[in-house]
């Protein structure tokens, strides 16, 4: 069965990072976010603000960041999610920044595109690879498929997961490293539990103990980032599921969302937005 893959209109990694910074710096201020983003794109043709907002801000940047799973929210309430914050906050160290981008892109490829699994089978010419990939994805025309494929291949190349010139092949060293970075079993689980509890109580002080799991993801990921460990949202969710089943000293309640939402936490086939934790009383 052929897969449906998105068209990532803004596929330049450095530009995406700058756009993320705009959404982070001006979280919940849509007009300031818009102005910040539009400053990144020179208005060489003197087009009016409304046209640029529609074509660049709403038509290109927001959909691209959303397809990449780097922002949450709609309308006036858009901000980077935990993966987006990883990318922004990792810039203090170039090698760590590159690892964060690779981890995020690798997981997206595994979930949506699956190009790396095909490329690892050998070395392809660019045209041959596009032909192979186009036969496995949905699209109204070969031209549309080709555009989607080329932009995702460009992203894979920019984060150095593939070698991409005349021929296309896997960057084996970086792929080995990213597999280590995204393996939740290689994270210190005891430390993860400590960070979850610590950050839960910090966030919960102002919310009567009802904590948005998306906030918890971000806080714990940034704790690991300070120690040069990459904890993506997928890893966090896998480890949180393990935490819930093993933390016998806690009463843990999960809250369902009110209406449509994004980046929800999946547990036993259900989707949740909030978490409440209470320590069990010790009977003497």
């Amino acid at each position: 069965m052929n897969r449906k893959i998105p068209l990532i209109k803004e596929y330049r990694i450095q530009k995406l990072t700058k756009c993320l910074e705009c959404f982070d710096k001006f979280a919940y201020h849509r007009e300031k976010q818009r102005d910040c983003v539009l400053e990144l794109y020179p208005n060489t043709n003197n087009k009016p603000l409304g046209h640029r907002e529609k074509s660049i801000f709403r038509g290109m940047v927001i959909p691209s960041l959303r397809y990449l799973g780097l922002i949450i929210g709609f309308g006036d309430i858009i901000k980077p999610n935990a993966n987006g914050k990883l990318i922004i906050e990792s810039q203090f160290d170039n090698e760590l920044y590159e690892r964060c981008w690779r981890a995020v892109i690798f997981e997206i490829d595994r979930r949506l595109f699956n190009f790396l699994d095909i490329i690892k089978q050998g070395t392809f010419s660019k045209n041959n690879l596009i032909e192979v990939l186009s036969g496995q994805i949905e699209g109204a025309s070969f031209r549309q498929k080709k555009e989607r494929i080329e932009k995702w291949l460009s992203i894979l190349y920019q984060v150095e997961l593939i070698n991409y010139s005349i021929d296309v092949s896997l960057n084996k060293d970086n792929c080995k490293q990213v597999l280590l970075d995204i393996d939740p079993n290689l994270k210190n689980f005891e430390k993860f539990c400590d960070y979850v509890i610590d950050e839960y109580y910090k966030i919960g002080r102002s919310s009567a103990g009802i904590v948005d799991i998306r906030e918890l993801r971000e806080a714990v990921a940034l704790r690991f980032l300070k120690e040069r460990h990459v904890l993506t949202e997928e890893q966090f969710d896998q480890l949180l599921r393990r935490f819930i089943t093993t933390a016998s000293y806690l009463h843990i309640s999960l809250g369902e969302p009110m209406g449509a939402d994004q980046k929800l936490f999946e547990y036993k086939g259900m989707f949740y937005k909030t978490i409440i934790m209470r320590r069990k009383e010790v009977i003497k």
Side-chain angles (χ1 to χ4, degrees), residues 161-192:
L161 284 170
I162 62 172
N163 305 306
Y164 188 42
S165 53
I166 297 174
D167 294 327
V168 185
S169 62
L170 216 60
N171 186 320
K172 293 181 180 178
D173 289 340
N174 284 342
C175 285
K176 285 179 183 176
Q177 178 61 52
V178 80
L179 286 172
L180 298 175
D181 280 336
I182 66 170
D183 188 344
N185 296 317
L186 297 180
K187 297 296 186 291
N188 185 320
F189 184 62
E190 288 185 8
K191 184 175 287 187
F192 175 84

Side-chain angles (χ1 to χ4, degrees), residues 115-171:
F115 285 9
L116 291 172
D117 261 356
I118 294 170
I119 295 170
K120 76 179 182 182
Q121 296 173 18
T123 299
F124 296 82
S125 70
K126 178 182 172 183
N127 290 337
N128 180 236
L129 178 62
I130 289 173
E131 189 175 331
V132 170
L133 294 172
S134 68
Q136 302 191 26
I137 63 173
E138 291 183 15
S141 68
F142 177 75
R143 183 185 61 79
Q144 290 178 332
K145 292 180 182 182
K146 186 171 183 285
E147 182 181 13
R148 284 166 164 74
I149 291 168
E150 287 183 330
K151 289 191 173 178
W152 189 248
L153 289 175
S154 175
I155 289 175
L156 293 176
Y157 172 68
Q158 288 174 72
V159 300
E160 299 182 338
L161 284 170
I162 62 172
N163 305 306
Y164 188 42
S165 53
I166 297 174
D167 294 327
V168 185
S169 62
L170 216 60
N171 186 320

